[in-house]
Amino acid sequence: MAKKQFKAESKRLLDLMINSIYTHQEIFLRELISNASDAIDKLAYLALTDEKVGLNRSDFAIRLSSDEKMGVLTVSDNGIGMTKEELEENLGTIAQSGSFQFKKEMDKTDDIDVIGQFGVGFYSAFMVAEAVTVITKKYGEEQAYMWQSSGADGYTITPCEKDTVGTDVILKLKKDTEDEKYSRFLKSYELQNLVKKYSDYIRYPIKMMLEKSRVKDPEAEKPEYETYSEDETLNSMVPLWQRAKKDVSQDEYEAFYREKFFDFEKPLSVIHTAVEGAVTYKALLFIPGKAPYDFYTKEYKKGLQLYSSGVLIMENCEELLPDYFRFVRGVVDSQDLSLNISRELLQHDRQLKLIAANLEKKIRSELERMMEKDRETYEKFYEAFGLQLKYGAVSDYGAHKDAVKDLLLFWSNKENKLVSLKEYVEAMPETQKFIYYAAGENRTRLRGLPQAETLKEKGWDFLLFTDEVDGFLPQSIGKFMEKEFRNLEQDDLGLEEDEKAETSELDRPVLEFVKESLGDKVKEVRVGKSLGKHPVSLVPDAEMSFEMEKYLKRVNPDFRYESGRVLQLNPTHPVFASLRDAMENDKEKAKKYAELLYAQALLIADLPLDDPTAYTDLVCELMK
Ligand code: ADP
């Protein structure tokens, strides 16, 4: 019969597996058992609502059997099984599976050692087997099918006989070599050890017939032994989250996290809690160390795995996590939730809401703890997910600001490190009334702003708002510890010396002249406050900063709003005097000065020049 070819992606992975001289070959068993367990989950879930399945929870099991003479190891389950199409799809291609994730990472690193940390899926069987046969019958189907492959040259699928629903994965192990003793995977003690090591918390019994020996007749003077077989369950079946915190090691938590959530890195933090009372549940939550590649896209699905008394009822229960904590991964297990509850009902479930509210508090206090006690770890977290927290603060018109505002960090101009708003406010001298910030991507520009110098002279700090979303935070947060925010570039800085500065009658004609020469380019020309030693600045005439305007234009092409531009001049600057002088003696020259000052203000505000060439021509002309 003609062999079908593996899809190209799959073939590369398969080659990798077949040729791996890999020390963690043993993890193939974990992978096959985990697939078996997933398949049982699916049928067990069906059985809850469909009597026709005819199986109780206690009927489900995974079975290992080995035939030392034949060199064959079999992993069987009575789970959902696969149709012919599913065999084709699942085992002929690397779907959206662990294998796929794995392959992507491999393409990046080519470091074979990562296999052990990862769910690598079905193909890992080829690390130890020269041929793999899968015999499977899908629940509800009459016909069973057999999938066979000896590796990269392809596979066949043929109809076959199988009495019961489920799947047998049959491995013909590779021959032993000098270095590799594949036959060890046929020994019951080895299999027992591997199950304990990798699959102990699998929720279904992993059974195996074990050869044992006993004394034939206890009364006899000279004891004689006989051997017998007994079915034994190799795993304790207690899921990690059901165990007491003190009985679980850090390594176990980390291994569980990596395997379940397909991450190479260990989590930054583990939250393991058991709650009894108005609602009873156990939860095991993880804060990842880096954002998944799709985290800031719509593809990323937030949510926690939801179990009811050890049975998985939902892979991604979104209702358990607020958006601003959507990076958290983990499981929740509660006996209070009904097993066959529908998605729609679940959304309104009172118990679920209680759990979600409790978890939200737990996560927040864990983050607060990290921020206070372990700043280095917190900064790592913040680098990955800080943006999400900021989005949380501005989304829904700031409805969730109180949940996240204490968790935010910003770059402090004075301290040259990240500080929280609380830290900023607590360090403010008494005379400073506002939380100052400057917004924009370019830190050098922000640090060099005219107003920055004014603050620096007073020894006051300001925050660098370098993420686009930052500019929206002051509006949604409002006041922090009674202090208002002030935008360096745009707002009145509220300095006492500025209060005294009035536009003098002497300056007014100069301002009017500049406005006249610039025409519609600016809405107003006025005397600027807090400009220090700098001659000019440009500010919008409305609430919305230039940065916000730029951002909104980019995310929404239909956004048409443009705030008016206000040119601010510093009458104490020598340039102002030159301008006045030119205005009185050489109007043409004064017009050029006005153009020049306007262009400089644009540059400082990080706005494009209307006509860069004209600007440079002008500079050159005046230099001559
Ligand atoms: P993953 O388990 O990460 O999805 P695998 O390569 O291990 O990736 O398996 C691919 C797919 O094959 C699984 O998602 C599942 O649909 C199917 N599969 C594997 N083993 C079994 C099994 N024992 N019973 C039913 N389906 C299975």
Side-chain angles (χ1 to χ4, degrees), residues 49 90 159 237 249 267 298 389 417 432 504 526 531:
T49 49
N90 296 335
M237 285 188 281
S249 71
K298 284 204 193 80
L389 296 180
K417 62 174 192 194
Q432 182 185 341
S504 80
R526 66 179 178 219
L531 288 182

Side-chain angles (χ1 to χ4, degrees), residues 202-437:
I202 291 285
R203 291 178 300 281
Y204 307 100
I206 302 167
K207 291 184 178 175
M208 192 170 171
M209 275 293 187
L210 295 182
E211 291 274 311
K212 299 188 169 178
S213 65
R214 65 185 161 205
V215 180
K216 215 170 181 179
D217 176 9
E219 308 283 281
E221 262 181 37
K222 226 175 88 198
E224 258 183 78
Y225 293 91
E226 61 176 359
T227 58
Y228 69 104
S229 307
E230 196 176 58
D231 214 12
E232 208 166 286
T233 297
L234 309 183
N235 55 331
S236 69
M237 285 188 281
V238 182
L240 207 62
W241 60 87
Q242 292 287 5
R243 283 161 52 189
K245 210 164 157 177
K246 63 173 177 32
D247 296 335
V248 188
S249 71
Q250 197 59 28
D251 280 352
E252 280 178 295
Y253 281 132
E254 287 172 10
F256 175 87
Y257 167 76
R258 283 178 165 149
E259 196 181 316
K260 203 167 187 85
F261 300 108
F262 303 120
D263 197 349
F264 285 100
E265 273 186 41
K266 58 182 188 183
L268 291 182
S269 180
V270 181
I271 305 169
H272 188 179
T273 123
V275 173
E276 277 175 45
V279 59
T280 299
Y281 66 90
K282 293 202 165 72
L284 181 54
L285 310 183
F286 300 91
I287 299 176
K290 67 170 199 302
Y293 67 98
D294 62 351
F295 183 71
Y296 288 104
T297 71
K298 284 204 193 80
E299 308 315 313
Y300 179 85
K301 297 259 171 299
K302 74 160 180 174
L304 300 175
Q305 286 193 343
L306 186 60
Y307 290 83
S308 172
S309 307
V311 180
L312 181 71
I313 55 174
M314 204 175 286
E315 188 65 46
N316 252 329
C317 183
E318 292 176 29
E319 289 76 12
L320 283 169
L321 284 180
D323 267 348
Y324 47 89
F325 290 157
R326 67 208 274 274
F327 45 80
V328 174
R329 318 299 309 264
V331 298
V332 173
D333 194 337
S334 171
Q335 66 203 34
D336 295 346
L337 297 168
S338 137
L339 271 180
N340 43 12
I341 190 165
S342 75
R343 237 217 129 97
E344 292 70 52
L345 276 177
L346 198 61
Q347 284 180 3
H348 306 291
D349 192 90
R350 205 178 56 84
Q351 311 279 6
L352 196 79
K353 288 209 167 109
L354 262 175
I355 298 176
N358 284 353
L359 293 181
E360 196 265 355
K361 266 190 233 128
K362 270 269 169 204
I363 298 166
R364 184 142 39 88
S365 63
E366 171 57 15
L367 290 174
E368 278 167 3
R369 186 202 63 79
M370 260 162 76
M371 183 163 158
E372 235 162 79
K373 302 265 154 61
D374 186 0
R375 187 52 82 94
E376 208 178 307
T377 309
Y378 188 75
E379 286 188 10
K380 188 161 187 253
F381 155 78
Y382 198 75
E383 196 183 319
F385 302 112
L387 202 53
Q388 181 61 51
L389 296 180
K390 291 173 180 175
Y391 288 140
V394 299
S395 66
D396 300 331
Y397 305 101
H400 321 289
K401 60 171 197 276
D402 290 330
V404 290
K405 64 180 187 209
D406 293 332
L407 296 172
L408 302 180
L409 295 179
F410 301 95
W411 196 264
S412 146
N413 182 56
K414 192 171 165 193
E415 305 289 331
N416 237 326
K417 62 174 192 194
L418 290 166
V419 299
S420 69
L421 291 173
K422 182 160 167 254
E423 286 158 354
Y424 177 91
V425 171
E426 282 175 351
M428 275 166 54
E430 217 161 283
T431 41
Q432 182 185 341
K433 294 195 213 79
F434 303 104
I435 301 172
Y436 296 111
Y437 69 92

Side-chain angles (χ1 to χ4, degrees), residues 35-36 38-39 42 77 80-82 90-91 97-99 121-122 167 262:
N35 281 351
D38 291 347
K42 287 176 193 155
D77 66 69
I80 190 101
M82 282 176 273
N90 296 335
L91 307 187
S97 61
S99 318
F122 172 78
T167 304
F262 303 120

Side-chain angles (χ1 to χ4, degrees), residues 119-134:
V120 292
F122 172 78
Y123 290 121
S124 61
F126 286 96
M127 291 199 289
V128 300
E130 58 181 38
V132 178
T133 305
V134 179

Side-chain angles (χ1 to χ4, degrees), residues 32 50 76 81 92 175 196 235 248 264 284 359 404 428 441 468 472 539 547 561 567 584 617 619:
L32 297 183
D50 184 353
S76 307
K175 302 267 178 311
K196 269 277 166 232
N235 55 331
V248 188
F264 285 100
L284 181 54
L359 293 181
V404 290
M428 275 166 54
E441 262 174 282
E468 282 173 330
F472 297 87
V539 297
E547 289 301 318
Y561 179 82
L567 183 68
E584 282 157 9
D617 286 350
V619 173

Side-chain angles (χ1 to χ4, degrees), residues 457-559:
E457 269 165 19
K458 298 174 101 40
W460 294 1
D461 195 8
F462 67 92
L463 302 172
L464 274 64
F465 278 15
T466 46
D467 282 326
E468 282 173 330
V469 61
D470 292 349
F472 297 87
L473 288 168
Q475 251 174 18
S476 60
I477 292 180
K479 285 186 182 174
F480 188 91
M481 289 168 79
E482 306 290 305
K483 306 286 188 235
E484 271 173 39
F485 288 83
R486 286 280 161 107
N487 182 341
L488 234 57
E489 276 183 276
Q490 179 180 344
D491 297 331
D492 183 347
L493 295 187
L495 306 179
E496 267 177 35
E497 52 268 41
D498 286 343
E499 298 298 314
K500 293 176 210 130
E502 278 285 307
T503 310
S504 80
E505 283 313 311
L506 225 60
D507 298 336
R508 210 174 291 285
V510 183
L511 302 177
E512 278 163 12
F513 173 81
V514 174
K515 167 72 184 100
E516 207 172 297
S517 347
L518 294 176
D520 286 344
K521 286 184 207 158
V522 293
K523 195 153 179 201
E524 190 191 335
V525 180
R526 66 179 178 219
V527 164
K529 292 176 175 176
S530 322
L531 288 182
K533 296 196 200 75
H534 291 260
V536 280
S537 81
L538 199 68
V539 297
D541 70 338
E543 283 272 299
M544 194 176 318
S545 69
F546 294 135
E547 289 301 318
M548 282 157 88
E549 203 178 294
K550 271 191 254 176
Y551 171 74
L552 290 172
K553 271 187 194 154
R554 196 163 55 251
V555 297
N556 177 9
D558 292 334
F559 185 80

